[in-house]
Amino acid sequence: MLKKFAEGLVFGGGFAISFVAVWYLAAYAITPMFASRIEREANKHLSERGRPAPPSESEAAGAVEPGKPFHELGIDEQIKKSSVIALARYERAPDGRMRAIIREFLKKDPNVTIYYNVGDEYKSSSYYPSARKSYGDGIVIFFTGSPATMRMSMTYSGDRIGGLGDIPLELFRNKCKGTG
């Protein structure tokens, strides 16, 4: 009898765990659908009452512009639309981390507010090295607007920027000077 009771207890426990797991997965998948629907309905009601609907996060950050997304533009157009273009080089910190230190501004429009100076660490691109991945020698960072907001970055190795069709760094530097 005790053996039968234990078997029932194990069966019930397994059933309860399965039920909770299925309930959690269903809630995880369904909740975001309801949340976005509720937000859309709230924005619709706000705009129907004559008040403007609040901007989305990307609109508030100035990311929504007519035309192609920034990363799909050609090099010359990216340079033209950027208010600041910074060049950072990786340097090893005492703790082993590779710090992205801003070395120069290739382009900096006058009257643009940017919260970085030459010599500052751009922490978003600093990393701990891995034997499996190389991050190159440094990064090129494109900022738009004022205050300057990071729009895109890419690594460079040696004197070539791979993300820009392997353009030589010196040619890219000259292109930036030509627009700034």
Side-chain angles (χ1 to χ4, degrees):
M1 177 143 166
L2 194 55
K3 183 178 177 187
K4 197 68 160 165
F5 176 74
E7 287 174 359
L9 195 59
V10 169
F11 176 78
F15 182 78
I17 291 171
S18 298
F19 178 77
V20 169
V22 168
W23 176 80
Y24 177 77
L25 289 174
Y28 183 78
I30 293 171
T31 302
M33 287 188 281
F34 285 127
S36 63
R37 183 171 155 210
I38 290 169
E39 183 179 343
R40 279 193 310 270
E41 290 295 320
N43 286 340
K44 183 175 133 188
H45 291 300
L46 278 176
S47 43
E48 284 174 358
R49 287 189 233 149
R51 287 186 232 142
S56 69
E57 284 182 36
S58 59
E59 288 172 331
V64 177
E65 296 177 9
K68 285 184 177 179
F70 189 84
H71 69 278
E72 290 181 5
L73 298 173
I75 295 171
D76 294 329
E77 196 66 24
Q78 288 173 341
I79 293 170
K80 183 179 170 188
K81 287 194 178 247
S82 297
S83 56
V84 177
I85 300 175
L87 186 71
R89 185 149 186 89
Y90 289 123
E91 295 179 3
R92 188 171 299 279
D95 66 351
R97 184 170 48 102
M98 297 301 286
R99 298 173 58 212
I101 305 296
I102 295 178
R103 288 288 153 227
E104 66 180 295
F105 291 109
L106 302 177
K107 177 184 177 185
K108 186 175 180 185
D109 288 346
N111 302 322
V112 169
T113 302
I114 182 161
Y115 301 119
Y116 294 98
N117 294 309
V118 171
D120 288 350
E121 177 182 2
Y122 187 69
K123 291 187 179 191
S124 298
S125 293
S126 295
Y127 67 96
Y128 283 96
S130 165
R132 290 178 265 151
K133 189 166 183 177
S134 172
Y135 289 89
D137 297 326
I139 57 169
V140 177
I141 313 161
F142 292 81
F143 295 89
T144 59
S146 183
T149 304
M150 194 279 270
R151 188 63 55 218
M152 180 175 76
S153 69
M154 62 206 52
T155 62
Y156 66 88
S157 294
D159 70 336
R160 301 261 177 192
I161 306 169
L164 292 176
D166 246 5
I167 187 172
L169 197 51
E170 197 56 40
L171 176 58
F172 182 72
R173 187 178 272 121
N174 291 338
K175 283 179 174 278
C176 292
K177 285 179 186 171
T179 63

